[in-house]
Amino acid sequence: MLDKRSDGNAEKQSKARVEKQSEAKAADLLNTDPNKGLTSDEAQERLARFGPNRLVERKPVTFVDIFLEEIREPLIVLLLIVAVFYSVFGKLIDTVTIVFVVIALVSAEVFNEYRAKKAIEALKKLSAPLAPVIRDGHPQEIPTEDIVPGDILIIRVGERIQADAYLVESYGLEVDESALTGESVPVPKSAKAKPPKGAPLGERTNEVFAGTVVTRGKGRAVVLATGMATELGHITGLVRESKEPKTPLQLAMRELSSYLIWVATAFSIFIPLVGIVQGRGLQEMILTGLSLAFATIPEEMPIIITMVLGLGALQLSRHNALVKRLKAAETLGSVTMIATDKTGTITENRMVLSHISADGMIDFKEGKVGRVATMLLEIGVLVNDAVLQKVNGMLNYVGDPMEVALIEAATKAGKDPQAIRNRFNTVEEFGFDSDIKLMTGVFALGGNRFVFTKGAPEAILSRSTNYETESGVMELTPSKKKEELEKVDMLASKGLRMLAFAYKKIGEGELVSREEAENNITYVGLAGFLDPPRHNVAEAVRETKEAGIRILMMTGDYAPTALAIARDVGISTDHDFITSDKLKSMSDSELQNAIKSMSVFARITPEDKLRIVNAAQLSGHVIAVTGDGINDAPALSQANIGIAMGETGTDVAREAADMVLTDDNFSTIEFAVRGGRKIFDNLRKGVRYYLAVKLGLILLFLLPILAGIALPFAPIQIIVLELFMDLGASAAFVAEPEAPDIMKRTPRKPSERFIDRPMLIAIFTGALVLFASVSFTYLIVLFNTGSTVVAQTTAFTTWIFTHIFLAFNMRSDKEPVLRLGLLSNKPMVIWAVSAIIVAVLVVTISVFHPALKLTFLTFGQWALAIGVAFISTLWMEVRKLLFRIAS
């Protein structure tokens, strides 16, 4: 029976509810096969019927909405007021021209903001988690929004439940429901539980709910409700999607803009007032003041910051670094330390069973094994969460790489993993516990029950009393334990990752607690797995260290294995490491000293990881930390940049992180740091140029107004120039390629001022260049011809060319433009060519002259404008060249 509940949209807010008389009826009443799930066609029909599985409707980013928002901005309204004044004091053609420029200017700014917001929206879509379900008879992962009532959810440790569902199968399942009930202790769940009808939420132990987190065990459940029809949806019915919070730099730029607005406004009032006192026309001075205000007030600066961060983050996402929060894009350039996991990040996360030690050491190449080794492989197949799943249209085992490697090794040894699993019946499962480093299952075979367990060698050996040999069971003496631990050290020193296996036979029907199951066990043997380093990690590590960034390896793996890999890729050059036990004995100050020289932290717990992060931050580091488990969430949240694994990470880790690596590769972290530095570089370049031309425009009006001569630009010309000034800063510098030395510099200190002394010098230098070149040509032509219109046209042309040359020059402080490549920044080339074409057209075609207050120029005047523009910036290129020769 399907019963719909609505909060205004019955089709999209419906809820599928069932009378829970038995665990079978839930699936039956929803017409779902609990083993095969829905078909794709059934799922599509239900998606259309019940709507997407989300709590709030996202308002799509549209060009029209942003245009309407922008057109209502006070400074755009100011420009429209200018048009009104022109219609009153001037001619109709002046008003038409201004309206045309307003539309062009707003459209350009809206397009840039649209690109940035679409980029951020795309990042949100990319970060949407996937949910494991059974469809068409096979496990597969689908977008959480596509979950529908009747889907069979696969429930796994560390994942967030994405819909309300009724359990049809469970093994040692516990769920954190604090998000719904406030109860901090995980709640045991069971498909066999039968709570009374109408039981409160916290007592419905045969159900799981959207927003809760699986802390232990696994299972399957049939979806009853999605989206706003879930219990979470009822609680948060009034919630609306939150906006991306402003980054510290965005806030700082907004504050700076507020300050600069007052400065620009003061000059926009001062210059016209002086002109009026001098007896200049009131109409002209009012229009000049309004035009100057519009052109010089830095209203676009916050948009520039958002654009560079948003588009830079989107570019990173295309290289497997998914930035979830814009603050991460900003902070990446300041990272001084990276604390990385080993498995899958430094290594390929592609385990191969290399050695087996089971009553004798064998190099596992041909797959030939004896009785004890066969027992080891069978335990490895049974105590194993890897599942047969359709991937790219083919059935493959998917899961933890070591567990997949065990299944592959069993197959190689001539065993059928599925037949082994079918031969044993699962009675109870105890999932992997990071504290005791064990994973255990209780299985039935005929009239017998067995405990099979696997885990860290020292954990297995410490709980074992006997060991298995080809001839039978023998007592595990202290000397034998020592011998086995020496084997572990020997194999681990070769970079192998070790697992030990054990078993225990218990009485039929006997129920055991986890503690009872995992003690007094019989040791079977060791398996050594080879997980080779990724081919490009060593180079990435080298470049990261050259950039002045410390790299720590923090892993729960066996210490010699971690050290071998760390030495192999260049993270560590010594033979020492710190384990959890040693770390716990250290004081905070001792730990802070240790991270200055020690690079490998092995066998550590998530609590240890959090402590290392805190110690690094207290030492002044900006630290990026990788993590994939539930318990990594505190360290990911505490880090300056939390980086979750996209392939192997849990939903909880991904939600706590600022960035997700979709390929779990350390090289992607190095690329992201490089990208973060590039983003910050381009921000500085764009803002530096933007402020230089704004200041240059103000300076241009000061000299003529104080000297009592005609102003260099007519008000309408100021408005036209504004269009190209903004486009240059907000569009061209976004696409600037990274500087050649970007990974040779030491990390930027977070305490450094964004606009520091060198940047201030560059801003004033650029402004003076614009002022000097335009003033020179303007005054020369004005005094030689006596024509204000000709002089203003020359000044207009000089400005266009000078600010183009200045933009190319400001692409780098040290590298000459020719070395960078004139065509290496294509958007800047397009902008420059467009500006030149516009300048040539409006000066050489008479139809534009009345509207823009321009006239024809002679060949000599063209040569003067272009020559002075070129020469005024050439000295900067010569200075860079001399600097390169000297260094």
Side-chain angles (χ1 to χ4, degrees), residues 47-87:
L47 184 62
R49 181 179 179 186
F50 295 111
N53 177 36
R54 57 181 178 230
L55 293 181
V56 291
E57 287 289 330
R58 289 196 197 98
K59 185 179 180 182
V61 176
T62 66
F63 189 89
V64 173
D65 286 342
I66 297 177
F67 186 90
L68 293 175
E69 180 183 344
E70 183 75 17
I71 205 75
R72 292 193 295 267
E73 285 290 317
L75 293 166
I76 299 298
V77 173
L78 173 64
L79 191 55
L80 293 174
I81 291 173
V82 174
V84 173
F85 271 91
Y86 265 102
S87 67

Side-chain angles (χ1 to χ4, degrees), residues 10-249:
E11 287 299 316
K12 290 188 177 181
Q13 304 291 339
S14 57
K15 177 172 182 177
R17 301 167 65 188
V18 270
E19 297 296 331
K20 303 168 182 81
Q21 296 136 333
S22 74
E23 59 212 54
K25 280 199 172 182
D28 291 341
L29 292 172
L30 287 167
N31 298 317
T32 303
D33 185 328
N35 295 312
K36 295 183 178 179
L38 299 173
T39 66
S40 297
D41 291 340
E42 288 172 333
Q44 285 300 315
E45 185 275 327
R46 295 189 187 201
L47 184 62
R49 181 179 179 186
F50 295 111
N53 177 36
R54 57 181 178 230
L55 293 181
V56 291
E57 287 289 330
R58 289 196 197 98
K59 185 179 180 182
V61 176
T62 66
F63 189 89
V64 173
D65 286 342
I66 297 177
F67 186 90
L68 293 175
E69 180 183 344
E70 183 75 17
I71 205 75
R72 292 193 295 267
E73 285 290 317
L75 293 166
I76 299 298
V77 173
L78 173 64
L79 191 55
L80 293 174
I81 291 173
V82 174
V84 173
F85 271 91
Y86 265 102
S87 67
V88 174
F89 296 118
K91 301 176 182 178
L92 179 62
I93 192 172
D94 295 336
T95 304
V96 172
T97 303
I98 291 181
V99 170
F100 174 79
V101 171
V102 168
I103 293 173
L105 180 61
V106 171
S107 298
E109 292 184 353
V110 167
F111 175 70
N112 286 328
E113 188 168 0
Y114 175 74
R115 288 175 66 208
K117 288 188 174 180
K118 286 294 284 185
I120 296 168
E121 184 182 53
L123 292 177
K124 289 180 179 178
K125 289 181 179 178
L126 286 172
S127 65
L130 299 176
V133 301
I134 296 175
R135 276 196 188 168
D136 298 316
H138 300 295
Q140 52 187 285
E141 292 194 333
I142 64 171
T144 58
E145 290 194 352
D146 292 347
I147 296 173
V148 296
D151 262 326
I152 302 297
L153 287 181
I154 299 171
I155 298 171
R156 303 185 295 211
V157 171
E159 296 189 348
R160 190 174 294 278
I161 304 295
Q162 302 293 351
D164 287 1
Y166 183 77
L167 289 168
V168 294
E169 182 179 290
S170 63
Y171 298 100
L173 190 62
E174 291 186 1
V175 178
D176 178 359
E177 295 185 340
S178 57
L180 287 178
T181 65
E183 175 58 57
S184 58
V185 178
V187 179
K189 298 283 184 176
S190 174
K192 297 178 182 179
K194 299 186 186 301
K197 188 174 181 180
L201 189 67
E203 296 177 16
R204 282 146 62 179
T205 53
N206 57 350
E207 290 182 71
V208 290
F209 304 100
T212 61
V213 177
V214 181
T215 59
R216 178 174 173 264
K218 63 181 181 179
R220 287 186 299 154
V222 59
V223 174
L224 308 179
T226 59
M228 292 299 292
T230 62
E231 297 294 341
L232 183 63
H234 296 160
I235 294 172
T236 60
L238 299 178
V239 173
R240 291 295 176 262
E241 190 173 35
S242 61
K243 291 185 177 180
E244 175 80 13
K246 299 295 182 185
T247 71
L249 185 56

Side-chain angles (χ1 to χ4, degrees), residues 292-469:
L292 268 177
F294 179 78
T296 57
I297 289 174
E299 79 281 2
E300 298 92 350
M301 195 144 67
I303 296 175
I304 295 172
I305 305 297
T306 302
M307 267 196 62
V308 176
L309 289 178
L311 296 178
L314 184 62
Q315 186 178 36
L316 290 179
S317 74
R318 291 170 179 160
H319 291 81
N320 302 313
L322 175 57
V323 176
K324 292 180 59 187
R325 302 179 180 97
L326 285 186
K327 80 176 182 70
E330 177 183 315
T331 310
L332 276 167
S334 304
V335 168
T336 61
M337 178 178 286
I338 298 173
T340 177
D341 195 6
K342 176 183 74 68
T343 305
T345 309
I346 299 297
T347 60
E348 292 184 6
N349 203 13
R350 181 186 59 84
M351 286 293 184
V352 177
L353 183 59
S354 175
H355 290 76
I356 290 179
S357 173
D359 199 24
M361 180 74 69
I362 64 166
D363 189 342
F364 190 78
K365 291 179 181 178
E366 301 301 325
K368 298 176 182 178
V369 295
R371 183 186 69 84
V372 182
T374 299
M375 182 185 296
L376 182 150
L377 290 174
E378 288 186 347
I379 295 172
V381 168
L382 290 167
V383 187
N384 193 314
D385 285 335
V387 296
L388 199 59
Q389 183 170 310
K390 185 181 284 188
V391 180
N392 298 326
M394 297 183 65
L395 285 174
N396 288 298
Y397 280 96
V398 176
D400 180 85
M402 291 177 69
E403 296 189 329
V404 173
L406 283 166
I407 290 176
E408 291 174 347
T411 303
K412 191 175 180 181
K415 306 298 178 184
D416 183 349
Q418 214 54 42
I420 295 172
R421 288 180 168 183
N422 292 337
R423 189 155 49 93
F424 288 85
N425 293 319
T426 304
V427 176
E428 181 64 281
E429 290 188 354
F430 303 106
F432 179 76
D433 187 313
S434 61
D435 291 327
I436 60 176
K437 298 181 175 64
L438 292 176
M439 179 178 179
T440 300
V442 181
F443 300 88
L445 177 62
N448 298 315
R449 290 197 175 193
F450 297 89
V451 172
F452 294 135
T453 186
K454 71 176 184 184
E458 62 268 33
I460 292 285
L461 285 165
S462 68
R463 290 166 171 79
S464 297
T465 54
N466 301 299
Y467 71 99
E468 190 75 29
T469 71

